[in-house]
Amino acid sequence: MMKKLVITFAAAALLVAVLAIPSFAQQANANDQQVLQLRYESVGARVGFSAGVMTDIVSLVPQASDLNSHIDQLNADLSTLDGYVSAGDASGFGSYVKGTVDPDMQAANAAMKADRLHFKEWNVTAGTRQALKTDFDARKATFDSQIGSITLQLGSIRLADYNEAVAKYDDRMSKLSAKGVDVSAMQSIEAGAQADVISPLQAAVASGNASLVRAELKDKSLGNGAPYSYHFWAKMDTAGGQATSARIADNATKAGYGDQLAQVNANLSTAQSTLNSVGTNPYTTGQKDTIWDSLKAAAEGLKNIIAALGGHH
């Protein structure tokens, strides 16, 4: 009786993790607002660079006054984005950047290019051209420095998120192991995550080299969405569900819940086989839904079985 109760408590602890942690792309964390602020600063650096270059052109080449409207538009865009940041609306922020800011930036760049084609007929001197180049180089250096700083901050935040996730799973694995659940598969998954994703990012951040950090952030993800996607959360939840199922299998079968456990295992098998097919590629929409729907169904099934087993005490 006591042994079954211990199994129930241990499994329940893992089920909380299965239900509470969806894919990393969906997982809210305390750093979300800070990341959104840094995204805003990144767009602000782009706008500041472009608007600054246009301001320099208008100042030295008054005939290019058409650029003033583009400067005003970009500054208005930045003000609108600030509202999304204040509201914590990351989705709205991203949509506005893609649908409005990016096209406005492209229009501004096209206008600058068109005006430069008129420099000869506007009698823009070599000295003025050189002054514009000097101003451009100075602004570009400032822009590069800003983006480098933002990249390093993003790298540190991402690393902190990863380490926090690992620490939470370490705590769960420790508790489960103490209750007799075999967590060796989860440990192996975590070791792979450390070697393939976390340690390289940690080394890049420690180097202070923004280019290295940028490459790690762009090319790899502990969750999903990068060319190399480790799918840590899905792998850990699948392995945790399998370990839980194995631990309660005898008691569940003896208590008459063999069919329910078989359905749980079928769901876990679907998640596992889909993960195997995905490998380290990003999910397709169908794969993501299949994996997480299967894990949610498995977690719900395990929760029901565990509750029923507990009811026999």
Side-chain angles (χ1 to χ4, degrees):
M1 299 275 287
M2 180 57 66
K3 183 177 180 180
K4 285 177 66 181
L5 187 59
V6 167
I7 293 171
T8 299
F9 286 159
L14 181 60
L15 287 177
V16 171
V18 173
L19 293 172
I21 302 183
S23 65
F24 180 64
Q26 299 172 335
Q27 183 186 3
N29 63 72
N31 291 323
D32 283 350
Q33 188 62 28
Q34 189 177 358
V35 170
L36 184 57
Q37 179 63 39
L38 288 173
R39 290 175 65 191
Y40 173 80
E41 292 177 11
S42 177
V43 176
R46 290 170 53 205
V47 167
F49 173 59
S50 183
V53 171
M54 288 189 289
T55 298
D56 293 339
I57 294 173
V58 173
S59 175
L60 294 176
V61 186
Q63 298 94 322
S65 60
D66 64 295
L67 297 180
N68 284 323
S69 63
H70 293 283
I71 295 171
D72 292 342
Q73 182 59 58
L74 289 176
N75 287 330
D77 289 346
L78 205 56
S79 179
T80 300
L81 281 179
D82 187 51
Y84 286 111
V85 175
S86 297
D89 185 356
S91 177
F93 181 98
S95 296
Y96 190 80
V97 169
K98 183 177 181 180
T100 301
V101 179
D102 287 347
D104 287 346
M105 288 285 292
Q106 293 166 4
N109 290 334
M112 282 190 281
K113 183 177 180 180
D115 280 354
R116 287 193 179 97
L117 295 177
H118 293 292
F119 275 13
K120 184 176 181 179
E121 66 181 88
W122 290 345
N123 296 316
V124 178
T125 66
T128 297
R129 292 171 186 259
Q130 182 57 49
L132 288 173
K133 182 180 184 306
T134 299
D135 290 342
F136 177 90
D137 290 343
R139 291 190 183 279
K140 181 63 163 57
T142 298
F143 171 76
D144 289 343
S145 177
Q146 291 172 324
I147 294 300
S149 175
I150 291 168
T151 300
L152 291 174
Q153 291 178 72
L154 285 172
S156 295
I157 291 171
R158 182 71 61 82
L159 184 61
D161 286 343
Y162 288 173
N163 286 332
E164 180 182 2
V166 168
K168 288 180 178 178
Y169 273 111
D170 282 345
D171 180 63
R172 293 185 183 109
M173 286 191 291
S174 178
K175 292 175 181 177
L176 290 170
S177 181
K179 302 302 182 181
V181 177
D182 181 2
V183 297
S184 58
M186 299 175 74
Q187 291 171 331
S188 178
I189 291 166
E190 183 182 299
Q194 289 283 2
D196 295 350
V197 180
I198 301 175
S199 291
L201 178 58
Q202 184 173 13
V205 170
S207 75
N209 187 318
S211 295
L212 293 179
V213 173
R214 187 177 299 111
E216 289 296 324
L217 294 176
K218 179 181 178 181
D219 296 341
K220 299 177 184 177
S221 173
L222 190 63
N224 178 57
Y228 181 94
S229 295
Y230 191 76
H231 304 295
F232 176 73
W233 283 264
K235 288 178 179 179
M236 290 293 275
D237 290 351
T238 301
Q242 291 167 336
T244 301
S245 174
R247 187 68 178 92
I248 67 172
D250 288 345
N251 287 332
T253 301
K254 290 175 183 177
Y257 300 108
D259 289 344
Q260 292 91 325
L261 191 62
Q263 184 57 56
V264 166
N265 290 334
N267 285 320
L268 291 169
S269 178
T270 296
Q272 184 66 69
S273 63
T274 307
L275 276 170
N276 292 343
S277 297
V278 172
T280 56
N281 296 309
Y283 294 137
T284 65
T285 299
Q287 290 172 330
K288 178 180 178 181
D289 291 344
T290 296
I291 289 169
W292 288 105
D293 287 349
S294 297
L295 288 174
K296 289 175 183 177
E300 186 67 22
L302 281 171
K303 183 176 69 172
N304 291 337
I305 294 170
I306 290 167
L309 290 175
H312 283 81
H313 295 283

